[in-house]
Amino acid sequence: METIFISILSIVAAIYLGYTYTVDLQMMQQNSYRNNRYFKWWKTNSNYGSVSRLIDLAMLFLLLSNFPQKYIYLCIAFVLGVKIYKLATTKYKKPLVFTKRVWRLFITMLIMSLLFVVGAFIATSALHAIPVAIMTLCVISWAILTASNTAMLPVENSINQMYFNDAKNLLSQMPDMKIIGITGSYGKTSTKHYLNRILSEQFDVLMTPGSFNTPMGVVRTVREMMKHYNNVFIVEMGAKQVSDIKEICDLVHPEIGIVTAVGEQHLE
């Protein structure tokens, strides 16, 4: 009977771990896959010691306690079920986009997690070690994410450089196209749309869509959306750290630059 309880808890915990990883990935994606910015987000959003993380830690301690295990398994499975429902129904302003990079990072995290769980089981030869290992991963999911991100960095840099060079080559084949760069602490997107509407009366205009204002967002725009007949390219340029604007300028070489405003958002 205890084996059944352990199996049920392990399955529920694994599902919860998957949802936890997707939330972590979502935040890593929004922080440009940079570990330092991800950790800064943790601190500024009080997520480092959030109630949810503390509950996960408490459940891990319960699994390691001497209480009657079958009741512990059922209680933890119930709590995890509630947390899974909450995570599955939560709506985000910027949900996770499963790009190829996210999939590579997610698979790396799953491989590391599987090795951890299998290693715990082999080391203890106890079925109980499986849910304990999975709950441990839930508690330290941030560490698995940042370790996987660091391990994949050489691969991602190589891929990004290939895409960057491809976009640069495409732009070099269109020397007559006028390129306009727009940056600022706020007002970038609105200015981009106003300018696009005005210039479209006379020219064939391409603008970076949505919030594609990062270096790789601009690269993706060039590679996937640019046509040989475009006359004008309007590039929104965002800055999350020093050198971001320079990196985009080194790619597109804008002839005209618009700075909408320099505000408190970029004091640091």
Side-chain angles (χ1 to χ4, degrees):
M1 183 63 71
E2 184 173 331
T3 301
I4 295 175
F5 287 140
I6 292 176
S7 300
I8 293 173
L9 176 57
S10 297
I11 292 171
V12 175
I15 294 172
Y16 173 66
L17 179 63
Y19 275 105
T20 301
Y21 280 173
T22 57
V23 173
D24 288 335
L25 281 165
Q26 177 187 355
M27 294 303 107
M28 181 63 82
Q29 186 179 65
Q30 291 183 21
N31 285 286
S32 304
Y33 303 98
R34 291 167 177 155
N35 288 350
N36 60 331
R37 295 194 70 242
Y38 173 75
F39 282 125
K40 183 178 179 181
W41 169 83
W42 258 57
K43 295 177 182 178
T44 57
N45 286 270
S46 303
N47 196 49
Y48 191 82
S50 67
V51 175
S52 180
R53 297 276 178 176
L54 291 175
I55 291 174
D56 292 347
L57 185 60
M59 289 190 290
L60 175 59
F61 284 147
L62 276 175
L63 281 173
L64 296 171
S65 70
N66 292 321
F67 289 107
Q69 291 298 318
K70 66 178 182 179
Y71 298 112
I72 295 298
Y73 297 147
L74 289 175
C75 289
I76 293 177
F78 175 77
V79 174
L80 290 179
V82 173
K83 296 186 76 174
I84 289 170
Y85 175 78
K86 184 177 179 181
L87 289 172
T89 56
T90 300
K91 303 296 182 183
Y92 297 97
K93 184 178 179 180
K94 288 185 177 181
L96 175 65
V97 180
F98 273 91
T99 62
K100 291 180 180 179
R101 179 168 187 172
V102 168
W103 275 115
R104 287 192 293 268
L105 186 52
F106 189 41
I107 291 171
T108 303
M109 293 173 70
L110 293 179
I111 292 173
M112 291 182 66
S113 302
L114 182 61
L115 291 174
F116 181 81
V117 173
V118 171
F121 176 70
I122 293 175
T124 61
S125 299
L127 200 61
H128 175 73
I130 295 177
V132 171
I134 296 175
M135 285 309 304
T136 301
L137 290 169
C138 292
V139 173
I140 64 169
S141 62
W142 55 272
I144 300 298
L145 171 62
T146 52
S148 299
N149 193 45
T150 301
M152 289 298 294
L153 196 58
V155 175
E156 299 302 336
N157 286 341
S158 177
I159 293 172
N160 287 346
Q161 189 60 50
M162 179 182 67
Y163 289 157
F164 188 93
N165 292 338
D166 186 42
K168 197 167 187 177
N169 180 58
L170 289 171
L171 286 168
S172 69
Q173 298 173 25
M174 305 179 69
D176 297 328
M177 183 174 61
K178 300 297 181 183
I179 300 177
I180 304 170
I182 302 175
T183 193
S185 296
Y186 51 85
K188 298 184 292 295
T189 303
S190 298
T191 302
K192 175 181 66 176
H193 283 282
Y194 294 148
L195 191 59
N196 176 62
R197 181 66 184 87
I198 293 169
L199 294 178
S200 293
E201 293 291 326
Q202 186 174 348
F203 304 99
D204 193 293
V205 182
L206 171 66
M207 69 174 182
T208 50
S211 56
F212 278 37
N213 59 12
T214 64
M216 293 313 298
V218 176
V219 165
R220 184 177 173 185
T221 302
V222 172
R223 295 182 69 249
E224 297 180 5
M225 304 175 192
M226 184 165 286
K227 308 299 180 185
H228 69 279
Y229 48 76
N230 293 140
N231 306 123
V232 178
F233 184 25
I234 303 174
V235 185
E236 180 180 343
M237 302 180 180
K240 293 183 178 179
Q241 66 177 25
V242 174
S243 80
D244 278 354
I245 301 297
K246 181 181 184 302
E247 187 174 351
I248 299 175
C249 286
D250 288 343
L251 170 65
V252 301
H253 300 290
E255 297 179 53
I256 301 170
I258 299 174
V259 179
T260 61
V262 179
E264 296 179 355
Q265 294 92 328
H266 290 95
L267 275 178
E268 65 177 298

